[in-house]
Amino acid sequence: MPSLSPHELIVVVNYGSQYDQLILRRIRECNVYAVFVPPTATAKEIRSLGPKGIILSGSPRSVYEPNAPALDPEILDLGVPVLGICYGMHLISYIFGGKVAGSDKAEYGWAMLRLHAAGKESSLFKTLPEKSQVWMSHADSAKTIPCGFHLLASSEDCPNAAIRHDTLPVYGVQFHPEVAHSPTGAALLRNFVRNICGCRGDWQMDSFTDKTIDHLREQIGNERVLCALSGGVDSAVVAALLAKAVGPRLSCVLVDNGLMRQGEVELVASEFTTRFPDIDFRVIDASDRFLDRLSGVADPSEKRKIIGAEFIAVFSREATRIQGVKYLAQGTIYPDVIESGVENSHAATIKLHHNVGGLPRELEFTLIEPLRDLFKDEVRRLGRELGLSAEMIGRHPFPGPGLAVRCLGAIDRRKIDLVRKADAVVLEEITLAGLLRDVSQAFAVLLPVRSVGVMGDAGTYENTIAVRCVKTDDFMTADWYELPYGVMKKISNRIVNEIRGVNRVVYDISSKPPATIEWE
């Protein structure tokens, strides 16, 4: 269970939906702190947290399945407002005696929600239009609502799309208000948090910064702390946070694995040696070691495992050379925890992270993860609070295994160098076009595809680069970015003309879902 928060708190019971993280994000956007608890949480445990409200998330499961994740029924009697989303609504209906079942005419994707008279009067739908677009994502629905509940809204294929108990502050919605595809969903969640739960909205990043620095000083005392710098935004912000908290008692180790973006090692080294000159900053060049181990490896999961194991081995060796270290700090953020399946056994493991649950026992350090409860946009805001440069914290997200998972198929040094150069061209041209902030993430992928081409008077049989640019608010869903043709043309011309070994460039126009943002 999470620790008590000094702020107003919304508890989200996490049933493993792919959108669970978005619920926390939307609540925090209302300046209200929110945390996950597992489905096994009891009413007593939740009461001890002192929540102002409780949200039951969605799930890929069905409530009538054997061993489906359940809910302590006493949670619904705590007198605290409860909102069930999709599976959460099914649980509420099931517990109160309603019928939940699948349908041959299930709704997935967009649907038009229509409010009934009771919905128009409800605080949950206050200021929302009578008809609005929402996002559905489950084959099950409440076929009959339980006694003691009344209907708030319907859609064409889901008659019982939103309900409320007659006397208890218990609500349920079949759709997902947390996703961007439900345009009025953020307003609905704000209505629940601010109007129904009565939260004032007093959670701010500056207060988080001051309290976290104070907590780190108290926790670390006069001991030394070691920070694993990956070169990304998250670990950089952790390092800056610790530099403010303990200064010269911080040692930062940046492992150059040969898989980072062009100029990234130099950028991180310059940032920290200039802004925090009193810390112990070290760069370990282990690129040959990593690339030798990855040579010929094609499976993306195997790439991640090798990189994770090598990182731990290199980092551990360096750690033993630093005297007096008691604490190890990592840049783990909330999506890492959730996507790794560490926090919720009902969620599918989407990807492996070498910095989640990977601390080698022989180091015998106490792990510190001060960003563990934050999302990426919150981490960036924290970085600005700490004085990191816009160039440092404004970089596009980069996968933990680096260019290894942007080189599809078997890896070798030439391919990594090729995709690194192509990636640099993409970012340079987007920056020159003034689109770096508008595009949420942009990069190049080397495909395991060769095709016939013509360069000069000679035929070629060379590699293909895919360019990927997406626009997203949360990285859980994303649309491909409509890059201007002129920018596309410059990117394609430069890649083909400047990078030997490429004769074709394609543009990825897939959204998430059904695709992911990264290719591996």
Side-chain angles (χ1 to χ4, degrees), residues 13 15 17 55-59 61 63 69 71 76 82-95 100 138 163 170-176:
V13 184
Y15 289 100
S17 165
I55 295 179
L56 313 178
S57 82
S59 173
R61 306 288 297 276
V63 294
L71 175 74
L76 300 172
V82 177
L83 172 63
I85 295 175
C86 196
Y87 183 88
M89 174 179 168
H90 304 163
L91 272 175
I92 290 170
S93 301
Y94 194 72
I95 289 169
V100 178
H138 210 293
I163 59 174
V170 177
Y171 300 78
V173 294
Q174 171 72 26
F175 55 93
H176 285 271

PDB file of all heavy atoms in Angstrom, residues 13 15 17 55-59 61 63 69 71 76 82-95 100 138 163 170-176:
ATOM      1  N   VAL A  13      -8.174   1.988  -7.610  1.00  0.00           N
ATOM      2  CA  VAL A  13      -7.981   0.537  -7.522  1.00  0.00           C
ATOM      3  C   VAL A  13      -7.640   0.056  -8.930  1.00  0.00           C
ATOM      4  O   VAL A  13      -8.438   0.187  -9.864  1.00  0.00           O
ATOM      5  CB  VAL A  13      -9.233  -0.170  -6.982  1.00  0.00           C
ATOM      6  CG1 VAL A  13      -8.956  -1.659  -6.808  1.00  0.00           C
ATOM      7  CG2 VAL A  13      -9.673   0.444  -5.656  1.00  0.00           C
ATOM      8  N   TYR A  15      -7.046  -2.385 -11.789  1.00  0.00           N
ATOM      9  CA  TYR A  15      -7.429  -3.709 -12.285  1.00  0.00           C
ATOM     10  C   TYR A  15      -6.720  -4.096 -13.582  1.00  0.00           C
ATOM     11  O   TYR A  15      -7.063  -5.106 -14.179  1.00  0.00           O
ATOM     12  CB  TYR A  15      -8.950  -3.774 -12.465  1.00  0.00           C
ATOM     13  CG  TYR A  15      -9.690  -3.784 -11.154  1.00  0.00           C
ATOM     14  CD1 TYR A  15     -10.271  -2.621 -10.654  1.00  0.00           C
ATOM     15  CD2 TYR A  15      -9.786  -4.942 -10.393  1.00  0.00           C
ATOM     16  CE1 TYR A  15     -10.939  -2.625  -9.434  1.00  0.00           C
ATOM     17  CE2 TYR A  15     -10.450  -4.955  -9.182  1.00  0.00           C
ATOM     18  CZ  TYR A  15     -11.019  -3.799  -8.706  1.00  0.00           C
ATOM     19  OH  TYR A  15     -11.670  -3.806  -7.495  1.00  0.00           O
ATOM     20  N   SER A  17      -6.149  -2.255 -16.617  1.00  0.00           N
ATOM     21  CA  SER A  17      -6.479  -1.724 -17.936  1.00  0.00           C
ATOM     22  C   SER A  17      -5.260  -1.075 -18.573  1.00  0.00           C
ATOM     23  O   SER A  17      -4.390  -0.538 -17.882  1.00  0.00           O
ATOM     24  CB  SER A  17      -7.603  -0.690 -17.818  1.00  0.00           C
ATOM     25  OG  SER A  17      -7.707   0.084 -18.997  1.00  0.00           O
ATOM     26  N   ILE A  55     -11.625   5.498  -7.251  1.00  0.00           N
ATOM     27  CA  ILE A  55     -11.956   5.148  -8.631  1.00  0.00           C
ATOM     28  C   ILE A  55     -11.581   3.694  -8.865  1.00  0.00           C
ATOM     29  O   ILE A  55     -10.491   3.253  -8.500  1.00  0.00           O
ATOM     30  CB  ILE A  55     -11.216   6.072  -9.619  1.00  0.00           C
ATOM     31  CG1 ILE A  55     -11.711   7.517  -9.466  1.00  0.00           C
ATOM     32  CG2 ILE A  55     -11.435   5.604 -11.061  1.00  0.00           C
ATOM     33  CD1 ILE A  55     -11.014   8.510 -10.381  1.00  0.00           C
ATOM     34  N   LEU A  56     -12.488   2.952  -9.475  1.00  0.00           N
ATOM     35  CA  LEU A  56     -12.238   1.562  -9.845  1.00  0.00           C
ATOM     36  C   LEU A  56     -11.942   1.539 -11.335  1.00  0.00           C
ATOM     37  O   LEU A  56     -12.765   1.957 -12.147  1.00  0.00           O
ATOM     38  CB  LEU A  56     -13.462   0.692  -9.533  1.00  0.00           C
ATOM     39  CG  LEU A  56     -14.106   0.871  -8.153  1.00  0.00           C
ATOM     40  CD1 LEU A  56     -15.328  -0.036  -8.021  1.00  0.00           C
ATOM     41  CD2 LEU A  56     -13.103   0.587  -7.043  1.00  0.00           C
ATOM     42  N   SER A  57     -10.763   1.063 -11.710  1.00  0.00           N
ATOM     43  CA  SER A  57     -10.313   1.181 -13.096  1.00  0.00           C
ATOM     44  C   SER A  57     -10.918   0.098 -13.984  1.00  0.00           C
ATOM     45  O   SER A  57     -11.607  -0.815 -13.526  1.00  0.00           O
ATOM     46  CB  SER A  57      -8.787   1.079 -13.153  1.00  0.00           C
ATOM     47  OG  SER A  57      -8.374  -0.277 -13.139  1.00  0.00           O
ATOM     48  N   GLY A  58     -10.576   0.177 -15.270  1.00  0.00           N
ATOM     49  CA  GLY A  58     -10.952  -0.854 -16.216  1.00  0.00           C
ATOM     50  C   GLY A  58     -10.043  -2.066 -16.093  1.00  0.00           C
ATOM     51  O   GLY A  58      -9.101  -2.097 -15.291  1.00  0.00           O
ATOM     52  N   SER A  59     -10.329  -3.087 -16.891  1.00  0.00           N
ATOM     53  CA  SER A  59      -9.560  -4.326 -16.840  1.00  0.00           C
ATOM     54  C   SER A  59      -9.805  -5.126 -18.117  1.00  0.00           C
ATOM     55  O   SER A  59     -10.880  -5.024 -18.717  1.00  0.00           O
ATOM     56  CB  SER A  59      -9.983  -5.172 -15.632  1.00  0.00           C
ATOM     57  OG  SER A  59      -9.360  -6.448 -15.657  1.00  0.00           O
ATOM     58  N   ARG A  61     -10.192  -8.224 -17.981  1.00  0.00           N
ATOM     59  CA  ARG A  61     -10.923  -9.387 -17.486  1.00  0.00           C
ATOM     60  C   ARG A  61     -12.432  -9.163 -17.517  1.00  0.00           C
ATOM     61  O   ARG A  61     -12.920  -8.075 -17.830  1.00  0.00           O
ATOM     62  CB  ARG A  61     -10.475  -9.694 -16.050  1.00  0.00           C
ATOM     63  CG  ARG A  61      -8.986  -9.872 -15.854  1.00  0.00           C
ATOM     64  CD  ARG A  61      -8.482 -11.175 -16.446  1.00  0.00           C
ATOM     65  NE  ARG A  61      -9.079 -12.314 -15.788  1.00  0.00           N
ATOM     66  CZ  ARG A  61      -8.625 -12.846 -14.635  1.00  0.00           C
ATOM     67  NH1 ARG A  61      -7.563 -12.293 -14.041  1.00  0.00           N
ATOM     68  NH2 ARG A  61      -9.196 -13.897 -14.095  1.00  0.00           N
ATOM     69  N   VAL A  63     -15.944  -9.811 -15.005  1.00  0.00           N
ATOM     70  CA  VAL A  63     -16.233  -9.998 -13.579  1.00  0.00           C
ATOM     71  C   VAL A  63     -16.754 -11.394 -13.273  1.00  0.00           C
ATOM     72  O   VAL A  63     -16.629 -11.865 -12.138  1.00  0.00           O
ATOM     73  CB  VAL A  63     -17.241  -8.946 -13.070  1.00  0.00           C
ATOM     74  CG1 VAL A  63     -16.638  -7.564 -13.124  1.00  0.00           C
ATOM     75  CG2 VAL A  63     -18.551  -8.997 -13.833  1.00  0.00           C
ATOM     76  N   PRO A  69     -10.307 -10.458 -10.737  1.00  0.00           N
ATOM     77  CA  PRO A  69     -10.006  -9.542  -9.632  1.00  0.00           C
ATOM     78  C   PRO A  69     -11.286  -8.939  -9.073  1.00  0.00           C
ATOM     79  O   PRO A  69     -12.168  -8.514  -9.821  1.00  0.00           O
ATOM     80  CB  PRO A  69      -9.110  -8.479 -10.275  1.00  0.00           C
ATOM     81  CG  PRO A  69      -9.335  -8.605 -11.745  1.00  0.00           C
ATOM     82  CD  PRO A  69      -9.667 -10.024 -12.000  1.00  0.00           C
ATOM     83  N   LEU A  71     -13.439  -6.898  -5.528  1.00  0.00           N
ATOM     84  CA  LEU A  71     -13.457  -5.672  -4.737  1.00  0.00           C
ATOM     85  C   LEU A  71     -14.046  -5.991  -3.379  1.00  0.00           C
ATOM     86  O   LEU A  71     -15.078  -6.679  -3.292  1.00  0.00           O
ATOM     87  CB  LEU A  71     -14.307  -4.597  -5.430  1.00  0.00           C
ATOM     88  CG  LEU A  71     -14.524  -3.291  -4.653  1.00  0.00           C
ATOM     89  CD1 LEU A  71     -13.242  -2.464  -4.662  1.00  0.00           C
ATOM     90  CD2 LEU A  71     -15.677  -2.483  -5.261  1.00  0.00           C
ATOM     91  N   LEU A  76     -17.501   0.086  -0.726  1.00  0.00           N
ATOM     92  CA  LEU A  76     -18.640   0.850  -1.232  1.00  0.00           C
ATOM     93  C   LEU A  76     -19.477   1.446  -0.105  1.00  0.00           C
ATOM     94  O   LEU A  76     -20.377   2.253  -0.366  1.00  0.00           O
ATOM     95  CB  LEU A  76     -19.513  -0.034  -2.123  1.00  0.00           C
ATOM     96  CG  LEU A  76     -18.795  -0.621  -3.353  1.00  0.00           C
ATOM     97  CD1 LEU A  76     -19.685  -1.627  -4.057  1.00  0.00           C
ATOM     98  CD2 LEU A  76     -18.380   0.488  -4.306  1.00  0.00           C
ATOM     99  N   VAL A  82     -17.401   6.941  -4.976  1.00  0.00           N
ATOM    100  CA  VAL A  82     -16.778   5.897  -5.780  1.00  0.00           C
ATOM    101  C   VAL A  82     -17.223   6.053  -7.228  1.00  0.00           C
ATOM    102  O   VAL A  82     -18.416   6.230  -7.500  1.00  0.00           O
ATOM    103  CB  VAL A  82     -17.154   4.491  -5.269  1.00  0.00           C
ATOM    104  CG1 VAL A  82     -16.550   3.408  -6.170  1.00  0.00           C
ATOM    105  CG2 VAL A  82     -16.711   4.293  -3.823  1.00  0.00           C
ATOM    106  N   LEU A  83     -16.254   5.971  -8.154  1.00  0.00           N
ATOM    107  CA  LEU A  83     -16.548   5.981  -9.582  1.00  0.00           C
ATOM    108  C   LEU A  83     -15.951   4.734 -10.210  1.00  0.00           C
ATOM    109  O   LEU A  83     -14.744   4.522 -10.162  1.00  0.00           O
ATOM    110  CB  LEU A  83     -15.964   7.229 -10.252  1.00  0.00           C
ATOM    111  CG  LEU A  83     -16.046   7.274 -11.791  1.00  0.00           C
ATOM    112  CD1 LEU A  83     -17.498   7.288 -12.262  1.00  0.00           C
ATOM    113  CD2 LEU A  83     -15.280   8.469 -12.342  1.00  0.00           C
ATOM    114  N   GLY A  84     -16.800   3.896 -10.789  1.00  0.00           N
ATOM    115  CA  GLY A  84     -16.336   2.714 -11.498  1.00  0.00           C
ATOM    116  C   GLY A  84     -16.253   2.987 -12.989  1.00  0.00           C
ATOM    117  O   GLY A  84     -17.213   3.466 -13.584  1.00  0.00           O
ATOM    118  N   ILE A  85     -15.110   2.666 -13.593  1.00  0.00           N
ATOM    119  CA  ILE A  85     -14.897   2.875 -15.024  1.00  0.00           C
ATOM    120  C   ILE A  85     -14.831   1.528 -15.725  1.00  0.00           C
ATOM    121  O   ILE A  85     -13.970   0.706 -15.411  1.00  0.00           O
ATOM    122  CB  ILE A  85     -13.605   3.676 -15.277  1.00  0.00           C
ATOM    123  CG1 ILE A  85     -13.715   5.091 -14.702  1.00  0.00           C
ATOM    124  CG2 ILE A  85     -13.277   3.730 -16.764  1.00  0.00           C
ATOM    125  CD1 ILE A  85     -12.445   5.909 -14.789  1.00  0.00           C
ATOM    126  N   CYS A  86     -15.744   1.278 -16.649  1.00  0.00           N
ATOM    127  CA  CYS A  86     -15.789   0.050 -17.441  1.00  0.00           C
ATOM    128  C   CYS A  86     -15.850  -1.176 -16.513  1.00  0.00           C
ATOM    129  O   CYS A  86     -16.882  -1.439 -15.912  1.00  0.00           O
ATOM    130  CB  CYS A  86     -14.602  -0.004 -18.400  1.00  0.00           C
ATOM    131  SG  CYS A  86     -14.778  -1.219 -19.711  1.00  0.00           S
ATOM    132  N   TYR A  87     -14.754  -1.917 -16.355  1.00  0.00           N
ATOM    133  CA  TYR A  87     -14.750  -3.061 -15.444  1.00  0.00           C
ATOM    134  C   TYR A  87     -15.163  -2.635 -14.037  1.00  0.00           C
ATOM    135  O   TYR A  87     -15.845  -3.371 -13.323  1.00  0.00           O
ATOM    136  CB  TYR A  87     -13.357  -3.687 -15.427  1.00  0.00           C
ATOM    137  CG  TYR A  87     -13.225  -4.937 -14.570  1.00  0.00           C
ATOM    138  CD1 TYR A  87     -13.496  -6.178 -15.098  1.00  0.00           C
ATOM    139  CD2 TYR A  87     -12.796  -4.854 -13.241  1.00  0.00           C
ATOM    140  CE1 TYR A  87     -13.363  -7.335 -14.332  1.00  0.00           C
ATOM    141  CE2 TYR A  87     -12.663  -5.990 -12.472  1.00  0.00           C
ATOM    142  CZ  TYR A  87     -12.947  -7.228 -13.019  1.00  0.00           C
ATOM    143  OH  TYR A  87     -12.821  -8.363 -12.249  1.00  0.00           O
ATOM    144  N   GLY A  88     -14.765  -1.434 -13.637  1.00  0.00           N
ATOM    145  CA  GLY A  88     -15.164  -0.923 -12.326  1.00  0.00           C
ATOM    146  C   GLY A  88     -16.664  -0.782 -12.202  1.00  0.00           C
ATOM    147  O   GLY A  88     -17.257  -1.088 -11.156  1.00  0.00           O
ATOM    148  N   MET A  89     -17.322  -0.341 -13.278  1.00  0.00           N
ATOM    149  CA  MET A  89     -18.788  -0.271 -13.279  1.00  0.00           C
ATOM    150  C   MET A  89     -19.382  -1.669 -13.229  1.00  0.00           C
ATOM    151  O   MET A  89     -20.389  -1.909 -12.550  1.00  0.00           O
ATOM    152  CB  MET A  89     -19.273   0.470 -14.523  1.00  0.00           C
ATOM    153  CG  MET A  89     -20.791   0.464 -14.677  1.00  0.00           C
ATOM    154  SD  MET A  89     -21.333   1.373 -16.119  1.00  0.00           S
ATOM    155  CE  MET A  89     -23.058   0.861 -16.203  1.00  0.00           C
ATOM    156  N   HIS A  90     -18.771  -2.608 -13.945  1.00  0.00           N
ATOM    157  CA  HIS A  90     -19.262  -3.982 -13.917  1.00  0.00           C
ATOM    158  C   HIS A  90     -19.202  -4.561 -12.509  1.00  0.00           C
ATOM    159  O   HIS A  90     -20.128  -5.257 -12.067  1.00  0.00           O
ATOM    160  CB  HIS A  90     -18.444  -4.860 -14.862  1.00  0.00           C
ATOM    161  CG  HIS A  90     -18.402  -4.372 -16.275  1.00  0.00           C
ATOM    162  ND1 HIS A  90     -17.477  -4.803 -17.198  1.00  0.00           N
ATOM    163  CD2 HIS A  90     -19.175  -3.458 -16.929  1.00  0.00           C
ATOM    164  CE1 HIS A  90     -17.686  -4.193 -18.357  1.00  0.00           C
ATOM    165  NE2 HIS A  90     -18.704  -3.364 -18.209  1.00  0.00           N
ATOM    166  N   LEU A  91     -18.092  -4.271 -11.805  1.00  0.00           N
ATOM    167  CA  LEU A  91     -17.961  -4.755 -10.426  1.00  0.00           C
ATOM    168  C   LEU A  91     -19.066  -4.190  -9.534  1.00  0.00           C
ATOM    169  O   LEU A  91     -19.675  -4.920  -8.737  1.00  0.00           O
ATOM    170  CB  LEU A  91     -16.595  -4.355  -9.859  1.00  0.00           C
ATOM    171  CG  LEU A  91     -15.419  -5.297 -10.094  1.00  0.00           C
ATOM    172  CD1 LEU A  91     -14.145  -4.670  -9.566  1.00  0.00           C
ATOM    173  CD2 LEU A  91     -15.657  -6.647  -9.433  1.00  0.00           C
ATOM    174  N   ILE A  92     -19.306  -2.893  -9.664  1.00  0.00           N
ATOM    175  CA  ILE A  92     -20.357  -2.259  -8.865  1.00  0.00           C
ATOM    176  C   ILE A  92     -21.704  -2.912  -9.152  1.00  0.00           C
ATOM    177  O   ILE A  92     -22.460  -3.268  -8.239  1.00  0.00           O
ATOM    178  CB  ILE A  92     -20.396  -0.745  -9.160  1.00  0.00           C
ATOM    179  CG1 ILE A  92     -19.152  -0.064  -8.585  1.00  0.00           C
ATOM    180  CG2 ILE A  92     -21.658  -0.113  -8.574  1.00  0.00           C
ATOM    181  CD1 ILE A  92     -18.990   1.377  -9.026  1.00  0.00           C
ATOM    182  N   SER A  93     -22.009  -3.080 -10.432  1.00  0.00           N
ATOM    183  CA  SER A  93     -23.277  -3.704 -10.817  1.00  0.00           C
ATOM    184  C   SER A  93     -23.366  -5.126 -10.285  1.00  0.00           C
ATOM    185  O   SER A  93     -24.406  -5.552  -9.759  1.00  0.00           O
ATOM    186  CB  SER A  93     -23.415  -3.709 -12.346  1.00  0.00           C
ATOM    187  OG  SER A  93     -23.377  -2.402 -12.868  1.00  0.00           O
ATOM    188  N   TYR A  94     -22.294  -5.871 -10.416  1.00  0.00           N
ATOM    189  CA  TYR A  94     -22.246  -7.275  -9.991  1.00  0.00           C
ATOM    190  C   TYR A  94     -22.455  -7.401  -8.482  1.00  0.00           C
ATOM    191  O   TYR A  94     -23.232  -8.233  -8.010  1.00  0.00           O
ATOM    192  CB  TYR A  94     -20.887  -7.838 -10.403  1.00  0.00           C
ATOM    193  CG  TYR A  94     -20.758  -9.338 -10.360  1.00  0.00           C
ATOM    194  CD1 TYR A  94     -21.393 -10.131 -11.302  1.00  0.00           C
ATOM    195  CD2 TYR A  94     -19.963  -9.957  -9.396  1.00  0.00           C
ATOM    196  CE1 TYR A  94     -21.250 -11.509 -11.276  1.00  0.00           C
ATOM    197  CE2 TYR A  94     -19.813 -11.326  -9.370  1.00  0.00           C
ATOM    198  CZ  TYR A  94     -20.466 -12.106 -10.313  1.00  0.00           C
ATOM    199  OH  TYR A  94     -20.330 -13.466 -10.274  1.00  0.00           O
ATOM    200  N   ILE A  95     -21.753  -6.539  -7.727  1.00  0.00           N
ATOM    201  CA  ILE A  95     -21.847  -6.606  -6.259  1.00  0.00           C
ATOM    202  C   ILE A  95     -23.257  -6.255  -5.777  1.00  0.00           C
ATOM    203  O   ILE A  95     -23.784  -6.862  -4.845  1.00  0.00           O
ATOM    204  CB  ILE A  95     -20.800  -5.655  -5.623  1.00  0.00           C
ATOM    205  CG1 ILE A  95     -19.387  -6.221  -5.825  1.00  0.00           C
ATOM    206  CG2 ILE A  95     -21.078  -5.435  -4.142  1.00  0.00           C
ATOM    207  CD1 ILE A  95     -18.276  -5.256  -5.467  1.00  0.00           C
ATOM    208  N   VAL A 100     -24.215  -8.708 -15.473  1.00  0.00           N
ATOM    209  CA  VAL A 100     -23.138  -8.297 -16.365  1.00  0.00           C
ATOM    210  C   VAL A 100     -22.856  -9.445 -17.323  1.00  0.00           C
ATOM    211  O   VAL A 100     -22.700 -10.590 -16.904  1.00  0.00           O
ATOM    212  CB  VAL A 100     -21.855  -7.940 -15.586  1.00  0.00           C
ATOM    213  CG1 VAL A 100     -20.723  -7.564 -16.543  1.00  0.00           C
ATOM    214  CG2 VAL A 100     -22.120  -6.814 -14.602  1.00  0.00           C
ATOM    215  N   HIS A 138     -14.681  -2.549 -24.189  1.00  0.00           N
ATOM    216  CA  HIS A 138     -14.945  -3.806 -23.484  1.00  0.00           C
ATOM    217  C   HIS A 138     -16.154  -4.481 -24.101  1.00  0.00           C
ATOM    218  O   HIS A 138     -17.107  -3.815 -24.498  1.00  0.00           O
ATOM    219  CB  HIS A 138     -15.200  -3.565 -21.986  1.00  0.00           C
ATOM    220  CG  HIS A 138     -14.780  -4.715 -21.127  1.00  0.00           C
ATOM    221  ND1 HIS A 138     -15.401  -5.940 -21.151  1.00  0.00           N
ATOM    222  CD2 HIS A 138     -13.786  -4.832 -20.217  1.00  0.00           C
ATOM    223  CE1 HIS A 138     -14.811  -6.757 -20.281  1.00  0.00           C
ATOM    224  NE2 HIS A 138     -13.820  -6.108 -19.713  1.00  0.00           N
ATOM    225  N   ILE A 163     -24.456   5.033 -14.635  1.00  0.00           N
ATOM    226  CA  ILE A 163     -25.445   4.812 -13.577  1.00  0.00           C
ATOM    227  C   ILE A 163     -25.010   5.503 -12.295  1.00  0.00           C
ATOM    228  O   ILE A 163     -23.836   5.857 -12.131  1.00  0.00           O
ATOM    229  CB  ILE A 163     -25.661   3.303 -13.294  1.00  0.00           C
ATOM    230  CG1 ILE A 163     -24.330   2.643 -12.859  1.00  0.00           C
ATOM    231  CG2 ILE A 163     -26.239   2.594 -14.507  1.00  0.00           C
ATOM    232  CD1 ILE A 163     -24.484   1.182 -12.432  1.00  0.00           C
ATOM    233  N   VAL A 170     -22.111   6.552  -5.294  1.00  0.00           N
ATOM    234  CA  VAL A 170     -21.478   5.499  -6.087  1.00  0.00           C
ATOM    235  C   VAL A 170     -21.946   5.634  -7.536  1.00  0.00           C
ATOM    236  O   VAL A 170     -23.144   5.586  -7.825  1.00  0.00           O
ATOM    237  CB  VAL A 170     -21.830   4.102  -5.534  1.00  0.00           C
ATOM    238  CG1 VAL A 170     -21.224   3.015  -6.424  1.00  0.00           C
ATOM    239  CG2 VAL A 170     -21.327   3.949  -4.097  1.00  0.00           C
ATOM    240  N   TYR A 171     -20.975   5.797  -8.455  1.00  0.00           N
ATOM    241  CA  TYR A 171     -21.253   6.027  -9.867  1.00  0.00           C
ATOM    242  C   TYR A 171     -20.546   4.970 -10.707  1.00  0.00           C
ATOM    243  O   TYR A 171     -19.537   4.404 -10.288  1.00  0.00           O
ATOM    244  CB  TYR A 171     -20.742   7.406 -10.304  1.00  0.00           C
ATOM    245  CG  TYR A 171     -21.330   8.580  -9.575  1.00  0.00           C
ATOM    246  CD1 TYR A 171     -20.893   8.922  -8.293  1.00  0.00           C
ATOM    247  CD2 TYR A 171     -22.308   9.376 -10.170  1.00  0.00           C
ATOM    248  CE1 TYR A 171     -21.425  10.015  -7.617  1.00  0.00           C
ATOM    249  CE2 TYR A 171     -22.847  10.479  -9.513  1.00  0.00           C
ATOM    250  CZ  TYR A 171     -22.402  10.787  -8.242  1.00  0.00           C
ATOM    251  OH  TYR A 171     -22.937  11.866  -7.576  1.00  0.00           O
ATOM    252  N   GLY A 172     -21.053   4.759 -11.909  1.00  0.00           N
ATOM    253  CA  GLY A 172     -20.385   3.866 -12.846  1.00  0.00           C
ATOM    254  C   GLY A 172     -20.564   4.357 -14.271  1.00  0.00           C
ATOM    255  O   GLY A 172     -21.636   4.854 -14.635  1.00  0.00           O
ATOM    256  N   VAL A 173     -19.494   4.241 -15.076  1.00  0.00           N
ATOM    257  CA  VAL A 173     -19.576   4.582 -16.501  1.00  0.00           C
ATOM    258  C   VAL A 173     -18.965   3.442 -17.302  1.00  0.00           C
ATOM    259  O   VAL A 173     -17.928   2.884 -16.936  1.00  0.00           O
ATOM    260  CB  VAL A 173     -18.868   5.915 -16.826  1.00  0.00           C
ATOM    261  CG1 VAL A 173     -19.583   7.078 -16.156  1.00  0.00           C
ATOM    262  CG2 VAL A 173     -17.398   5.894 -16.426  1.00  0.00           C
ATOM    263  N   GLN A 174     -19.611   3.091 -18.394  1.00  0.00           N
ATOM    264  CA  GLN A 174     -19.129   2.010 -19.249  1.00  0.00           C
ATOM    265  C   GLN A 174     -17.933   2.446 -20.083  1.00  0.00           C
ATOM    266  O   GLN A 174     -17.076   1.654 -20.419  1.00  0.00           O
ATOM    267  CB  GLN A 174     -20.267   1.559 -20.173  1.00  0.00           C
ATOM    268  CG  GLN A 174     -19.858   0.578 -21.264  1.00  0.00           C
ATOM    269  CD  GLN A 174     -19.544  -0.809 -20.738  1.00  0.00           C
ATOM    270  OE1 GLN A 174     -20.063  -1.205 -19.693  1.00  0.00           O
ATOM    271  NE2 GLN A 174     -18.693  -1.543 -21.440  1.00  0.00           N
ATOM    272  N   PHE A 175     -17.848   3.708 -20.428  1.00  0.00           N
ATOM    273  CA  PHE A 175     -16.807   4.233 -21.311  1.00  0.00           C
ATOM    274  C   PHE A 175     -15.567   4.646 -20.507  1.00  0.00           C
ATOM    275  O   PHE A 175     -15.549   4.602 -19.272  1.00  0.00           O
ATOM    276  CB  PHE A 175     -17.339   5.419 -22.124  1.00  0.00           C
ATOM    277  CG  PHE A 175     -17.920   6.528 -21.280  1.00  0.00           C
ATOM    278  CD1 PHE A 175     -17.147   7.607 -20.870  1.00  0.00           C
ATOM    279  CD2 PHE A 175     -19.249   6.480 -20.878  1.00  0.00           C
ATOM    280  CE1 PHE A 175     -17.683   8.614 -20.090  1.00  0.00           C
ATOM    281  CE2 PHE A 175     -19.792   7.493 -20.100  1.00  0.00           C
ATOM    282  CZ  PHE A 175     -19.012   8.560 -19.704  1.00  0.00           C
ATOM    283  N   HIS A 176     -14.532   5.069 -21.243  1.00  0.00           N
ATOM    284  CA  HIS A 176     -13.263   5.462 -20.619  1.00  0.00           C
ATOM    285  C   HIS A 176     -13.098   6.980 -20.705  1.00  0.00           C
ATOM    286  O   HIS A 176     -12.635   7.505 -21.732  1.00  0.00           O
ATOM    287  CB  HIS A 176     -12.089   4.771 -21.315  1.00  0.00           C
ATOM    288  CG  HIS A 176     -11.954   3.332 -20.964  1.00  0.00           C
ATOM    289  ND1 HIS A 176     -11.222   2.891 -19.888  1.00  0.00           N
ATOM    290  CD2 HIS A 176     -12.491   2.227 -21.543  1.00  0.00           C
ATOM    291  CE1 HIS A 176     -11.293   1.572 -19.811  1.00  0.00           C
ATOM    292  NE2 HIS A 176     -12.065   1.145 -20.800  1.00  0.00           N
TER     293      HIS A 176
END
